Amino acid sequence: MNTITAAITAVGSYVPDYVLSNKVLETMVDTNDEWITSRTGIKERRILKDKDKGTSYLAIQAAKDLLQKSNTDPAEIDMVIMATATPDMPVAATGVYVATQIGAVNAFSFDLVAACSSFLFGMSTAARYIESGKYKKVLLIGADKMSSIIDYTDRTTCIIFGDGGGAVLFEPNTENLGVKDEYLRTDGIGRPFLKIDAGGSLLPASNETVANKQHFVFQEGKTVFKFAVSNMADVCEKVMKNNNLTGQDVDWLVPHQANKRIIDAAASRMKLPDDKVMINIHKYGNTTSATLPLCLADYEKQLKKGDNLIFASFGGGFTWGAVYVKWAYDTN
């Protein structure tokens, strides 16, 4: 009996129409295009301007794109995992609503929250359910409306984040393709450095927390950058070593799009040339849970069956890790 692995069999994506460019940001805060580009690699980001639409809208559109492209019947989906840091609301899980809206009537769903590592951790979770043999189609969606938690008078954060959604479908594979290995890490030492102070059980919403802007993202950039550069590169090296892979064996690095310098550092440690690194940070900024699937969507046509992909991310908390995937299909 062949071993069941969890393979990605379809990809979908969605980004809002509105483009927030560096030139526009120059009119909003004390910054400029050269400064932003040289330090982050970001030129523009997409923003969901409609106040009546939340993260679920981004997720639904990405899921619909996947279903249409792959001709998948949503009723056949067994599970929907919603990776997000910006759920529509507390208590009522966003993934549950998304599953219902796309017609996944036979699926159960839940939200997975691990900051910028949410989608990566979701990959591990989806793989385990597929490998169990009980689930045949697991839809993993990564989506965030980061503009809903960003203070656009704070130039340390407003230049970085954007809105978007991406989705992948996991199915069983018996050709030794799909998720091969992972190395996932967390460390609570990071809690003070990247967070939202208010709105949780520790500091519930009040007039004071709103007035003090404590419902927006706070980031101590230098500390986060330092941890991200070393740790994201470390886990990539660890996964490669565990699987006897060299830079020549890796076809693609699929990195979280937080900062171009962090991505470059990981690629350098892996001895990968630029043309083996998926980059779209210049177009979308950091879409948090959506960065990895948006990369796949942008590069899908270049992927070939059997390609070795290393996914890597780093997020608040701190959360980070790498996942090794053998690509399962040719697009063309």
Side-chain angles (χ1 to χ4, degrees), residues 218-239:
F218 165 82
Q219 176 171 278
E220 189 175 297
K222 288 182 179 179
T223 303
V224 174
F225 179 84
K226 177 184 173 184
F227 272 87
V229 164
S230 60
N231 286 318
M232 207 164 94
D234 284 348
V235 291
C236 290
E237 272 195 328
K238 178 81 171 178
V239 165

Side-chain angles (χ1 to χ4, degrees), residues 275-295:
D275 60 4
K276 284 189 172 187
V277 183
M278 294 189 186
I279 296 284
N280 59 16
I281 190 171
H282 56 291
K283 296 193 296 182
Y284 308 132
N286 182 354
T287 54
T288 306
S289 307
T291 63
L292 299 182
L294 282 176
C295 277

Side-chain angles (χ1 to χ4, degrees), residues 2-314:
N2 292 331
T3 302
I4 295 173
T5 54
I8 294 172
T9 59
V11 176
S13 66
Y14 176 79
V15 291
D17 293 331
Y18 180 78
V19 177
L20 178 58
S21 67
N22 290 348
K23 290 295 183 183
V24 175
L25 276 174
E26 287 178 4
T27 68
M28 299 166 60
V29 291
D30 182 17
T31 190
N32 62 72
D33 174 65
E34 190 280 329
W35 193 92
I36 297 171
T37 304
S38 64
R39 285 163 177 78
T40 68
I42 301 169
K43 282 288 188 182
E44 55 190 41
R45 60 291 291 146
R46 301 297 185 95
I47 303 296
L48 182 58
K49 299 286 281 186
D50 193 331
K51 289 182 170 55
D52 296 325
K53 293 175 180 175
T55 293
S56 62
Y57 178 80
L58 302 166
I60 290 165
Q61 300 310 309
K64 285 181 175 178
D65 181 52
L66 179 149
L67 295 171
Q68 186 273 324
K69 283 169 56 182
S70 62
N71 196 29
T72 298
D73 180 356
E76 295 179 355
I77 295 172
D78 302 305
M79 179 188 305
V80 177
I81 302 174
M82 181 72 224
T84 186
T86 56
D88 282 3
M89 58 183 71
V91 183
T94 302
V96 174
Y97 176 71
V98 170
T100 298
Q101 292 301 112
I102 65 172
V105 293
N106 295 309
F108 83 93
S109 180
F110 57 90
D111 292 359
L112 194 158
V113 182
C116 292
S117 301
S118 298
F119 189 87
L120 189 83
F121 288 11
M123 291 177 68
S124 173
T125 307
R128 300 298 88 78
Y129 278 106
I130 291 291
E131 290 164 1
S132 74
K134 187 173 182 179
Y135 300 89
K136 306 301 181 188
K137 292 182 188 291
V138 175
L139 180 64
L140 171 62
I141 306 171
D144 273 301
K145 186 181 178 182
M146 291 303 294
S147 61
S148 67
I149 56 172
I150 296 299
D151 176 4
Y152 283 92
T153 66
D154 176 11
R155 67 176 182 174
T156 64
T157 56
C158 74
I159 66 170
I160 297 170
F161 296 98
D163 302 337
V168 300
L169 184 66
F170 281 93
E171 296 186 86
N173 183 278
T174 55
E175 300 178 275
N176 202 31
L177 302 170
V179 176
K180 302 284 290 177
D181 196 15
E182 64 184 41
Y183 187 62
L184 308 179
R185 309 294 296 158
T186 60
D187 190 339
I189 194 175
R191 193 182 202 188
F193 306 115
L194 181 51
K195 60 179 178 174
I196 294 176
D197 278 321
S201 61
L202 189 62
L203 186 61
S206 66
N207 290 335
E208 184 179 5
T209 62
V210 173
N212 291 337
K213 296 186 174 183
Q214 290 175 280
H215 295 269
F216 294 123
V217 170
F218 165 82
Q219 176 171 278
E220 189 175 297
K222 288 182 179 179
T223 303
V224 174
F225 179 84
K226 177 184 173 184
F227 272 87
V229 164
S230 60
N231 286 318
M232 207 164 94
D234 284 348
V235 291
C236 290
E237 272 195 328
K238 178 81 171 178
V239 165
M240 289 173 66
K241 185 177 180 180
N242 287 351
N243 293 275
N244 297 313
L245 298 172
T246 67
Q248 291 182 324
D249 300 318
V250 176
D251 296 289
W252 293 98
L253 170 63
V254 191
H256 172 52
Q257 308 288 302
N259 184 297
K260 180 66 162 53
R261 292 185 294 169
I262 296 172
I263 297 169
D264 289 344
S268 176
R269 285 269 292 276
M270 296 168 71
K271 296 181 170 58
L272 292 182
D274 291 345
D275 60 4
K276 284 189 172 187
V277 183
M278 294 189 186
I279 296 284
N280 59 16
I281 190 171
H282 56 291
K283 296 193 296 182
Y284 308 132
N286 182 354
T287 54
T288 306
S289 307
T291 63
L292 299 182
L294 282 176
C295 277
L296 287 182
D298 281 359
Y299 284 82
E300 185 183 13
K301 290 182 179 178
Q302 299 182 50
L303 299 176
K304 300 184 296 294
K305 186 176 180 179
D307 277 356
N308 291 318
L309 278 63
I310 304 290
F311 293 76
S313 70
F314 184 91

